[in-house]
Amino acid sequence: MASLFRSAEMTLCQLFLQSEAAYACVSELGELGLVQFRDLNPDVNVFQRKFVNEVRRCDEMERKLRYLEKEIKKDGIPMLDTGENPEAPQPREMIDLEATFEKLENELREVNQNAEALKRNFLELTELKQILRKTQVFFDEHFFLMAETTVNFRTTLSFVAGVILRERIPAFERMLWRACRGNVFLRQAEIETPLEDPSTGDQVYKSVFIIFFQGDQLKTRVKKICEGFRATLYPCPEAPGDRREMAMGVMTRIEDLNTVLGQTQDHRHRVLVAAAKNIKNWFVKVRKIKAIYHTLNLFNLDVTQKCLIAECWVPVLDFENIQLALRRGTERSGSSVPPILNRMETLEDPPTYNHTNKFTSGFQNLIDAYGVATYREMNPTPYTIITFPFLFAVMFGDLGHGLLMAFFGGWMVLKEKPLAAKKSDNEIWNIFFGGRYIIFLMGLFSMYTGLIYNDVFSKSLNIFRSNWVINNITKKDALSNDYMMLDPAEGDYVDYPYPIGMDPVWQIARNKIIFQNSYKMKISIVFGIIHMLFGVALSLFNFTYFKNKLSIVAEFIPQVIFLVFLFFYMVLLMFIKWFMYYPTNIESEIKYSPRCAPSILITFINMVLNKETIVDRQCDATMYAGQIPIQKLLFVCAVICVPWMLLAKPIYIMRHRRKMNYSVSHQQMQAAAGNGDAEQPIHNNTAQPVAGHGGGHGDEEEMSEIFIHQGIHTIEYVLGSVSHTASYLRLWALSLAHAQLSDVLWRMVLNKGLICDGWVGGIVLYIIFAVWATLTVSILVLMEGLSAFLHTLRLHWVEFQSKFYSGQGYAFLPFSFENLLDSASQTTEE
């Protein structure tokens, strides 16, 4: 439990591994995930380290696996993911893996090259088939023209036929016309079905063309233009019989190619299906091997080149587990030399390691986003699990909206295993899913505060009947909200409260906002002061753990006195006012008459300014006997705490250093006198103060920094106590805004559908309800929920954690296969 409220205790260790056992031992530590290695070769280039060749081999294997994965995805073959976590292969198994991947890659590339060549041949035959089919019409038209004009085209005109991309036809035609000066005749026809490009696999649309011209000069020019537009030219016989014979041969060859292509695709599919069954495990194995060798590159070699030396941070509580893992690695490698794990003394700050699980990890991430805790500092996460959803619920309190949020969070919690297995790359969804327990708790707490507010989609639940007696009020008047003004002094109140939460009658009262404003504003201050006091109390645990008695006396005690004597006293005045003042006469042992209660805010301001409260005759100036002297005493004590916080710590440090300097100087003088040198004591007596003054000069610079730091800290705390208290009023403001937005949506949207009668009203209500539900989820649940979440986060980061949390540490990043594989899979998906 100690590691839950405070980061785990860490120790720096030195690890000695035999070269033959190093790989297996690091593999076991990677499975355990509790060791953070330090780089002992910071000045050595990456390419000059011992295991750089092994890392390159792993990179090459990863490249081949990515190529296989791309081909598998291209064919739409599902990759089997059994959820297994295979162990890191032994170094000798790398050769087998490399051979397997090399064979698969070569086989697949050869199949792809053959398939591409066959597809290219198939494309050419298909285009030739289209040319032979389309050009028949062109020749028939020209033979008919020859007969009409008695011109022998057969001897006077030449032609070329080919295929070109459809979108290039207009530019192709213009270029022919301009280059040949209109001395060519172009005919073209579209190929109806798209053709597959063998290089890219894309479907492209092409057209068949034939160009008639006369002379060799035009022939050369036409062919160059065709080449420039990347048109493919094909031989086309002029005689109809020759064309029919060629077409039959083309059809035969196409059928043969279809058969060969089918066999090639079947073979490729079989290869990819076999690879898809193992590719996930292959990726895991290769990434583990690469991680191990990358970690081994952080180690140093001893002089004999037979032992690897590493330095690492490990949790003290897991020290035995780490030693067991090292033993298992040694046994796997067959080594006879046991590994040695020694603790080291160091002045370096250890990393911060907080034990988390799937429930606490989301809250820990909220804290770490502000700053990783300083080593062994109090961890705010356990307390945030309660305070965060509660303060959120104070702003978001609505039973209906809280139910929607709790339902969404509960669904993610119940379905977390299948949802986590999908590994979506949607960033917004991943944020929601990572905070599923936070969302669920925020929804539950919002349901509770909604029950206390008696607010359900801006309406109330009248479970126990109202404790107000309202006479002469019609149903129409009550629903119009224009008549009812609740006043307990007029005898409409039965003198005991509604059993749970607010009385439902306030929902139809004209002075509802006035009543709820007073209630929620005071509750916000109460919660804020208690929250800040709790934060100051946690600082005591930090000072006690680090044995910092000076900070307890010079910081904690004056901070508590200042906060309690001023702001917590204001909270006590609120409770006194609630308990001692009533709107009507009380016939009991407490004989109070209805009278005007003093304002808490005015009383507090007058207390700080030392002014007397000016009140009406019917109002009380004080709430209890001896209030004014007590308030003066409390204020004086609070004012004394300011110089106490400002000066006590620096003055003590300064006096302590002077005392230490004097003690050192006195010891040196006695040592010199003991040597029998008559001149030396005089020399030391004069020189030592100079040295002390020199040291003191450095201390003066450091002391000035201490004074400045303490001044900033004091000003921040004193002014922050005022601003932070006012900051908690956001609990009241957002709660009011949420309730009013909900009421506006009900009155201006859903209420329009409820006033329609008949079957038309049913249709209208169906449509309006859909609009109201959409606006409720999008605005009140999502947008208002996000706003309340951010404000709650600010209250914890600034108002709460600033009292005890410095957050100046750095995270413990152990060598863990689980973390490496998760980050690698996310990178691959992105």
Side-chain angles (χ1 to χ4, degrees):
M1 293 298 289
S3 61
L4 177 63
F5 297 96
R6 198 182 296 277
S7 62
E9 186 178 356
M10 309 294 293
T11 181
L12 182 64
C13 294
Q14 194 171 37
L15 177 62
F16 296 89
L17 297 174
Q18 190 182 12
S19 298
E20 292 79 7
Y23 181 92
C25 290
V26 172
S27 174
E28 290 292 337
L29 294 178
E31 298 290 350
L32 191 62
L34 290 173
V35 177
Q36 177 178 330
F37 291 100
R38 302 173 65 185
D39 190 359
L40 300 183
N41 307 296
D43 300 328
V44 180
N45 192 291
V46 177
F47 303 103
Q48 296 175 346
R49 302 201 177 191
K50 179 176 178 57
F51 300 98
V52 64
N53 292 328
E54 285 78 2
V55 173
R56 286 175 176 171
R57 288 167 61 189
C58 292
D59 288 335
E60 182 64 17
M61 286 192 289
E62 267 194 308
R63 183 195 62 78
K64 294 174 182 178
L65 286 176
R66 284 194 297 269
Y67 172 72
L68 289 174
E69 184 182 37
K70 183 182 71 173
E71 296 296 319
I72 290 170
K73 289 181 178 179
K74 185 188 295 184
D75 280 22
I77 301 173
M79 291 180 286
L80 183 63
D81 189 2
T82 58
E84 297 178 0
N85 185 18
E87 294 182 352
Q90 293 298 319
R92 58 181 176 272
E93 296 181 33
M94 279 185 65
I95 301 174
D96 298 335
L97 288 175
E98 286 177 315
T100 302
F101 301 157
E102 184 74 20
K103 179 182 176 182
L104 282 174
E105 184 190 27
N106 292 338
E107 186 176 5
L108 195 56
R109 288 190 183 277
E110 184 179 356
V111 170
N112 288 342
Q113 290 173 359
N114 293 337
E116 183 178 349
L118 291 172
K119 287 180 180 179
R120 192 174 302 279
N121 197 2
F122 180 81
L123 175 65
E124 293 174 355
L125 292 174
T126 304
E127 290 177 348
L128 180 57
K129 180 184 73 173
Q130 294 292 336
I131 288 175
L132 295 174
R133 181 180 301 172
K134 301 288 185 183
T135 54
Q136 181 63 39
V137 180
F138 301 152
F139 281 113
D140 292 343
E141 291 178 355
H142 284 82
F143 289 147
F144 177 77
L145 181 63
M146 177 185 65
E148 290 288 331
T149 58
T150 65
V151 178
N152 189 357
F153 279 82
R154 194 180 298 267
T155 57
T156 58
L157 290 182
S158 301
F159 67 90
V160 292
V163 176
I164 192 173
L165 289 174
R166 189 179 298 178
E167 62 267 18
R168 295 178 181 172
I169 284 290
F172 182 60
E173 189 172 4
R174 286 195 300 270
M175 180 60 70
L176 282 172
W177 180 262
R178 292 173 181 174
C180 300
R181 300 181 181 180
N183 293 319
V184 296
F185 184 67
L186 172 68
R187 293 298 308 274
Q188 59 91 16
E190 296 179 353
I191 301 175
E192 293 80 5
T193 57
L195 303 176
E196 181 182 355
D197 189 340
S199 300
T200 61
D202 298 333
Q203 299 292 323
V204 294
Y205 288 89
K206 294 188 175 183
S207 296
V208 172
F209 67 87
I210 187 169
I211 305 171
F212 294 94
F213 52 86
Q214 187 176 17
D216 293 336
Q217 186 176 4
L218 284 178
K219 180 178 181 179
T220 303
R221 194 174 298 175
V222 167
K223 285 187 175 181
K224 286 184 178 180
I225 294 173
C226 292
E227 183 181 353
F229 279 86
R230 296 183 180 177
T232 307
L233 300 180
Y234 292 95
C236 180
E238 188 176 354
D242 295 339
R243 286 198 299 272
R244 283 194 296 271
E245 184 178 352
M246 181 179 284
M248 292 175 62
V250 168
M251 292 300 297
T252 303
R253 291 174 62 188
I254 288 177
E255 291 177 0
D256 296 339
L257 271 178
N258 274 328
T259 304
V260 177
L261 268 174
Q263 294 174 351
T264 304
Q265 291 296 335
D266 290 341
H267 178 64
R268 168 188 161 87
H269 186 76
R270 286 193 299 271
V271 172
L272 292 177
V273 167
K277 295 178 181 179
N278 300 312
I279 192 166
K280 292 288 186 182
N281 287 343
W282 285 341
F283 264 119
V284 171
K285 290 180 179 180
V286 171
R287 285 166 179 164
K288 285 186 176 182
I289 297 172
K290 182 180 177 182
I292 292 171
Y293 282 118
H294 178 74
T295 303
L296 289 174
N297 276 332
L298 305 178
F299 294 10
N300 259 341
L301 281 170
D302 70 339
V303 181
T304 62
Q305 301 288 316
K306 294 182 179 180
C307 180
L308 290 172
I309 305 172
E311 291 182 4
C312 54
W313 291 105
V314 300
V316 174
L317 294 177
D318 296 308
F319 197 81
E320 293 184 1
N321 294 332
I322 294 169
Q323 287 182 325
L324 289 175
L326 291 172
R327 271 192 220 111
R328 288 196 301 269
T330 304
E331 293 173 359
R332 281 180 52 194
S333 65
S335 174
S336 58
V337 180
I340 301 174
L341 185 65
N342 293 328
R343 294 193 185 187
M344 299 173 58
E345 296 294 333
T346 179
L347 298 177
E348 184 180 348
D349 292 331
T352 300
Y353 175 44
N354 292 302
H355 291 280
T356 58
N357 51 38
K358 62 181 181 180
F359 175 71
T360 60
S361 60
F363 294 94
Q364 188 66 55
N365 289 335
L366 290 180
I367 302 302
D368 292 342
Y370 173 81
V372 178
T374 306
Y375 177 65
R376 299 296 286 168
E377 187 178 32
M378 285 296 295
N379 185 17
T381 300
Y383 318 105
T384 305
I385 293 174
I386 299 299
T387 59
F388 191 92
F390 178 73
L391 292 183
F392 171 88
V394 172
M395 293 182 275
F396 194 75
D398 189 290
L399 185 60
H401 300 152
L403 181 63
L404 294 177
M405 184 173 289
F407 178 79
F408 177 60
W411 172 76
M412 288 190 293
V413 170
L414 292 175
K415 301 289 185 180
E416 64 180 9
K417 288 186 178 179
L419 291 175
K422 291 182 179 179
K423 295 182 180 179
S424 172
D425 57 349
N426 189 305
E427 186 175 357
I428 296 178
W429 164 255
N430 290 333
I431 292 174
F432 279 126
F433 184 71
R436 57 193 179 277
Y437 289 98
I438 302 176
I439 295 174
F440 180 63
L441 285 181
M442 290 192 304
L444 289 182
F445 277 75
S446 297
M447 292 173 63
Y448 167 74
T449 54
L451 185 64
I452 297 300
Y453 295 157
N454 207 345
D455 202 349
V456 187
F457 296 119
S458 80
K459 298 303 173 186
S460 294
L461 296 175
N462 192 2
I463 302 175
F464 303 101
R465 298 187 61 184
S466 174
N467 286 330
W468 288 78
V469 180
I470 308 298
N471 300 317
N472 302 323
I473 301 296
T474 65
K475 182 179 180 181
K476 181 178 180 182
D477 292 332
L479 293 176
S480 66
N481 203 30
D482 293 332
Y483 180 84
M484 186 177 298
M485 178 73 75
L486 297 182
D487 187 359
E490 295 182 0
D492 296 334
Y493 187 54
V494 298
D495 290 338
Y496 62 89
Y498 193 70
I500 298 178
M502 289 187 179
D503 199 300
V505 75
W506 284 107
Q507 286 291 347
I508 56 175
R510 209 163 72 188
N511 57 335
K512 177 184 75 170
I513 295 180
I514 298 174
F515 168 74
Q516 289 187 347
N517 268 354
S518 177
Y519 166 74
K520 293 183 178 180
M521 181 170 62
K522 290 181 174 64
I523 285 296
S524 299
I525 297 297
V526 171
F527 289 154
I529 299 300
I530 294 175
H531 199 213
M532 289 192 294
L533 268 174
F534 180 59
V536 175
L538 290 180
S539 67
L540 176 63
F541 290 95
N542 278 333
F543 297 147
T544 304
Y545 177 81
F546 293 111
K547 299 179 181 180
N548 193 347
K549 296 180 181 179
L550 177 61
S551 294
I552 295 176
V553 175
E555 292 183 4
F556 170 72
I557 294 177
Q559 285 178 358
V560 170
I561 293 175
F562 183 85
L563 197 60
V564 170
F565 283 16
L566 287 182
F567 298 95
F568 189 73
Y569 174 74
M570 180 173 60
V571 172
L572 293 179
L573 289 180
M574 294 179 188
F575 282 95
I576 292 173
K577 183 176 179 179
W578 287 338
F579 282 104
M580 294 188 61
Y581 290 87
Y582 297 86
T584 57
N585 291 328
I586 305 295
E587 299 296 336
S588 63
E589 296 180 358
I590 307 175
K591 306 264 186 199
Y592 290 127
S593 60
R595 61 190 188 275
C596 177
S599 169
I600 301 295
L601 181 61
I602 298 300
T603 301
F604 183 73
I605 293 175
N606 290 335
M607 171 185 171
V608 175
L609 298 179
N610 197 21
K611 292 176 59 178
E612 294 186 1
T613 305
I614 301 175
V615 294
D616 201 3
R617 291 181 183 178
Q618 298 179 352
C619 293
D620 291 341
T622 60
M623 299 184 192
Y624 60 91
Q627 178 177 343
I628 300 301
I630 290 176
Q631 288 182 170
K632 289 183 178 180
L633 177 63
L634 295 179
F635 178 69
V636 170
C637 293
V639 170
I640 292 175
C641 291
V642 177
W644 186 355
M645 286 185 286
L646 180 64
L647 301 174
K649 190 172 184 178
I651 289 176
Y652 176 84
I653 294 175
M654 184 170 59
R655 293 185 60 185
H656 179 71
R657 288 183 176 177
R658 286 181 179 177
K659 184 178 179 181
M660 293 296 295
N661 290 337
Y662 175 78
S663 176
V664 171
S665 175
H666 184 67
Q667 290 177 2
Q668 290 178 350
M669 291 175 62
Q670 287 182 344
N675 290 333
D677 190 349
E679 299 296 331
Q680 190 65 29
I682 300 174
H683 175 73
N684 282 340
N685 193 23
T686 57
Q688 187 60 36
V690 174
H693 179 73
H697 183 68
D699 290 344
E700 283 180 3
E701 292 182 352
E702 189 175 347
M703 285 305 305
S704 64
E705 293 178 2
I706 293 175
F707 271 102
I708 293 173
H709 177 269
Q710 197 66 22
I712 294 173
H713 185 70
T714 302
I715 294 172
E716 180 184 10
Y717 182 82
V718 173
L719 297 182
S721 298
V722 180
S723 63
H724 292 176
T725 302
S727 183
Y728 279 93
L729 290 174
R730 69 186 69 237
L731 299 174
W732 153 60
L734 265 75
S735 175
L736 177 66
H738 186 82
Q740 291 304 303
L741 278 174
S742 180
D743 187 62
V744 166
L745 276 185
W746 185 282
R747 293 178 179 277
M748 298 185 65
V749 180
L750 189 60
N751 195 42
K752 303 298 182 182
L754 297 174
I755 60 178
C756 299
D757 298 327
W759 65 271
V760 176
I763 299 175
V764 172
L765 179 60
Y766 180 82
I767 298 173
I768 289 181
F769 177 80
V771 175
W772 174 80
T774 303
L775 293 176
T776 296
V777 173
S778 60
I779 295 178
L780 292 180
V781 177
L782 290 178
M783 293 181 62
E784 279 287 309
L786 178 61
S787 175
F789 178 88
L790 294 175
H791 283 283
T792 308
L793 194 62
R794 181 244 153 78
L795 289 177
H796 280 78
W797 280 359
V798 179
E799 279 72 22
F800 174 58
Q801 292 178 197
S802 63
K803 303 295 186 296
F804 68 97
Y805 188 75
S806 61
Q808 296 179 353
Y810 63 99
F812 175 62
L813 300 174
F815 170 60
S816 170
F817 286 146
E818 183 179 359
N819 296 338
L820 289 171
L821 295 175
D822 287 343
S823 60
S825 62
Q826 292 175 4
T827 305
T828 303
E829 289 170 3
E830 292 174 359

